[in-house]
Amino acid sequence: MVDNRNLAIGIFDSGMGGISVLADIIKLMPNEKYIYYGDSGNAPYGTKTPEEVRKLSIDICDFFISKGVKAIVAACNTATSAAINQLRKRYDIPIIGMEPALKPAIELELKGKIVVMATDMTLKEKKFSKLMDKYAKQQDIVKVPCPNLVELIEDGIFEGKAALEGIRGCFKGINMEQISSIVLGCTHYVFLRDNISALAGEKVSIIDGNKGTAYHLKNVLNEKNILKDTEENKLLLEIYNSDTDNEMIKLSKKLLEFSLKEQGLKIHL
Ligand code: DGL
């Protein structure tokens, strides 16, 4: 009989963004086996219709199921807002989603507005409206759609002038003096954290949902008694990408090494 504890965890995103989530998950659970799927061939998701994103998400999860996984993480706020209910209905394994980390931002109890940077779809979907309704009385929340930033990361640009220009474009019309925190509501933006912080100023807290997602995944695996309990001396990871150009696999590895280094882990892929 297959021991479910030894099965892989499937993690997907419209492309490179979910790699930042994968890094936090690896840091927390280094012995697990992972299959990462980046849908760069269809990125960005944020400008598609929710129906299109649902169909793409289902195709990826069917692929994970065919590989035999014990849980799936939609490491993408956009796919979560469009597809999480359908995915949970379709599969009988845990499906972990992501949403902009508004709750942790509110809990900081800082004085000033909260900016939520995310894709147009995430900010327009019902899931986020509900979340916003819950907290809008406590603090002013400013929605900032950032359509170009996903493309920058997909092109491997997360530092330098072009990155700064892209972020500056998103912040147009925002008075940073009034902002206390910025929620990175798209997993791609996590790679731009330092530049976002440089432009916003050191008084502004930058918050993402990656660590929260990693802990949530671990709790769910633990509750279901499917946490892997054997140690590995190397990282067990397969990376797939819908863009058949091998460059995207190379970029995935580069971004993962970069994120793991930020976590204090030196892993050469
Ligand atoms: N990483 C996705 C997210 O978290 C980006 C969506 C896109 O491809 O537009 O929302």
Side-chain angles (χ1 to χ4, degrees):
M1 215 180 97
V2 183
D3 184 346
N4 282 356
R5 287 174 297 187
N6 292 328
L7 295 179
I9 299 165
I11 300 175
F12 77 96
D13 176 52
S14 63
M16 298 296 127
I19 292 280
S20 70
V21 188
L22 175 64
D24 278 279
I25 295 176
I26 291 172
K27 170 104 201 268
L28 191 63
M29 294 179 283
N31 296 316
E32 293 285 346
K33 197 165 142 191
Y34 300 100
I35 304 176
Y36 184 82
Y37 191 99
D39 199 5
S40 298
N42 293 301
Y45 278 6
T47 50
K48 295 196 158 43
T49 65
E51 292 71 32
E52 284 170 319
V53 173
R54 271 196 280 281
K55 159 107 186 47
L56 293 166
S57 304
I58 287 173
D59 287 349
I60 296 167
C61 293
D62 282 354
F63 167 73
F64 283 148
I65 297 295
S66 76
K67 305 278 291 173
V69 295
K70 62 181 175 184
I72 293 174
V73 180
C76 176
N77 296 264
T78 310
T80 301
S81 51
I84 203 78
N85 295 338
Q86 283 74 12
L87 298 179
R88 288 191 176 135
K89 268 186 215 142
R90 191 175 168 95
Y91 310 104
D92 58 2
I93 55 170
I95 311 285
I96 311 296
M98 292 190 76
E99 64 181 14
L102 201 46
K103 186 169 177 260
I106 295 278
E107 284 169 355
L108 287 179
E109 292 184 3
L110 300 171
K111 278 217 168 66
K113 299 179 185 179
I114 298 173
V115 159
V116 181
M117 296 170 74
T119 67
D120 219 28
M121 192 190 301
T122 299
L123 296 174
K124 277 187 185 144
E125 276 297 293
K126 237 189 268 147
K127 200 167 186 299
F128 184 72
S129 303
K130 268 197 192 161
L131 188 69
M132 199 155 150
D133 286 349
K134 205 165 152 189
Y135 297 112
K137 278 199 198 92
Q138 279 163 265
Q139 220 163 324
D140 281 339
I141 301 162
V142 186
K143 297 196 260 184
V144 178
C146 308
N148 339 327
L149 299 187
V150 171
E151 272 103 333
L152 277 180
I153 303 299
E154 289 295 304
D155 288 340
I157 299 166
F158 53 102
E159 287 165 321
K161 209 170 153 222
L164 281 169
E165 283 309 306
I167 300 161
R168 210 170 268 133
C170 300
F171 288 166
K172 227 178 245 157
I174 295 177
N175 179 359
M176 276 301 160
E177 295 296 311
Q178 299 174 346
I179 308 299
S180 60
S181 57
I182 295 177
V183 174
L184 306 179
C186 167
T187 52
H188 279 75
Y189 307 166
V190 176
F191 294 113
L192 296 166
R193 172 195 292 275
D194 289 352
N195 283 313
I196 290 173
S197 182
L199 285 181
E202 58 186 15
K203 279 191 278 179
V204 177
S205 302
I206 314 285
I207 300 153
D208 69 62
N210 286 6
K211 282 203 173 54
T213 304
Y215 279 107
H216 178 50
L217 171 66
K218 188 173 182 183
N219 285 341
V220 171
L221 296 179
N222 192 26
E223 270 164 28
K224 305 232 171 255
N225 203 18
I226 49 173
L227 267 175
K228 190 156 170 286
D229 58 0
T230 47
E231 276 199 26
E232 299 295 336
N233 52 19
K234 67 171 175 54
L235 177 61
L236 301 177
L237 168 68
E238 288 172 30
I239 301 179
Y240 295 88
N241 197 290
S242 57
D243 186 326
T244 45
D245 184 350
N246 197 38
E247 287 305 307
M248 295 320 274
I249 301 284
K250 276 197 211 149
L251 180 59
S252 308
K253 289 182 179 171
K254 182 179 161 191
L255 289 171
L256 184 57
E257 279 174 356
F258 169 82
S259 306
L260 288 170
K261 210 163 132 205
E262 294 221 310
Q263 309 272 359
L265 293 178
K266 257 206 174 139
I267 295 180
H268 190 68
L269 297 160

